Amino acid sequence: MDSSGNTALARSWYFNLVLQDVVTEEQSDALAQLASFHDGRISLVESPERSWFTCSFEAETMTQAIADALARFKDFPSVLVQSVELDPIALEYNGMATLSVVRVPE
């Protein structure tokens, strides 16, 4: 039951938070010190071209799950999330039929 008295059930939501830039060595060192990024719900993935976090958060809605994940970045300065993306596996886990991407306004 939530604070409004509703009995909506939380479920797991899967998505990726794509960063604007590749994580630097300094940022990686800072990330290692942040406990909020070490609970198994958010994990950094890196390639030479980009960095992103795979996320699995429990919430009533996907919007709430994304907000919970993004709230962690207040402790991770100078890292900007460029977009929230759902890959084909996340679409299946989330029970969605079409690709969804929420981009930062330009």
Side-chain angles (χ1 to χ4, degrees):
M1 184 177 297
D2 65 21
S3 61
S4 66
N6 294 331
T7 57
L9 296 175
R11 58 172 280 200
S12 294
W13 296 97
Y14 302 90
F15 52 92
N16 297 319
L17 298 178
V18 179
L19 303 183
Q20 181 174 343
D21 299 305
V22 174
V23 172
T24 66
E25 189 173 327
E26 180 180 274
Q27 290 168 331
S28 184
D29 292 343
L31 179 62
Q33 304 303 314
L34 297 174
S36 62
F37 283 83
H38 299 289
D39 64 2
R41 296 189 294 165
I42 185 166
S43 301
L44 178 63
V45 180
E46 297 181 273
S47 76
E49 298 85 29
R50 67 185 202 150
S51 297
W52 68 96
F53 285 88
T54 60
C55 303
S56 172
F57 281 80
E58 286 192 9
E60 185 178 328
T61 67
M62 178 173 260
T63 302
Q64 291 170 337
I66 292 168
D68 187 9
L70 290 173
R72 294 162 187 257
F73 286 83
K74 72 180 184 325
D75 298 325
F76 196 9
S78 73
V79 175
L80 298 174
V81 175
Q82 174 181 307
S83 62
V84 178
E85 298 181 3
L86 302 177
D87 60 27
I89 294 170
L91 287 171
E92 183 178 337
Y93 282 132
N94 292 330
M96 300 172 131
T98 59
L99 184 63
S100 299
V101 178
V102 180
R103 296 209 179 271
V104 174
E106 293 184 27

